[in-house]
Amino acid sequence: MAMGFMDGGAQVAPLGRAVIGGLLAATVSSLLILPALYTMMERGGGRQSPSLDPDDPRSVHYDPSHAVVPN
């Protein structure tokens, strides 16, 4: 289709080239550009405990008033 062979190939060749270009651009952006942007944005974030347990002292949700005291 992009080469313009066969009957009416000259009419559909620009459409074929546009489709191929769009697919290539989408592939490059999803495999290279978007992960790089995500990595740059995540570098600014802090690293805190992912724990949601209120009894975990390292958790941001730690509540010492409800902590379980071990025997």
Side-chain angles (χ1 to χ4, degrees), residues 21-71:
L23 287 171
L24 287 174
T27 301
V28 168
S29 69
S30 65
L31 293 178
L32 301 175
I33 297 170
L34 292 177
L37 289 174
Y38 179 78
T39 302
M40 288 189 296
M41 288 174 38
E42 282 295 311
R43 283 188 184 160
R47 296 191 179 179
Q48 294 182 349
S49 170
S51 175
L52 298 175
D53 183 13
D55 297 330
D56 183 4
R58 296 175 294 155
S59 173
V60 295
H61 304 285
Y62 178 64
D63 185 5
S65 65
H66 291 84
V68 177
V69 179
N71 292 339

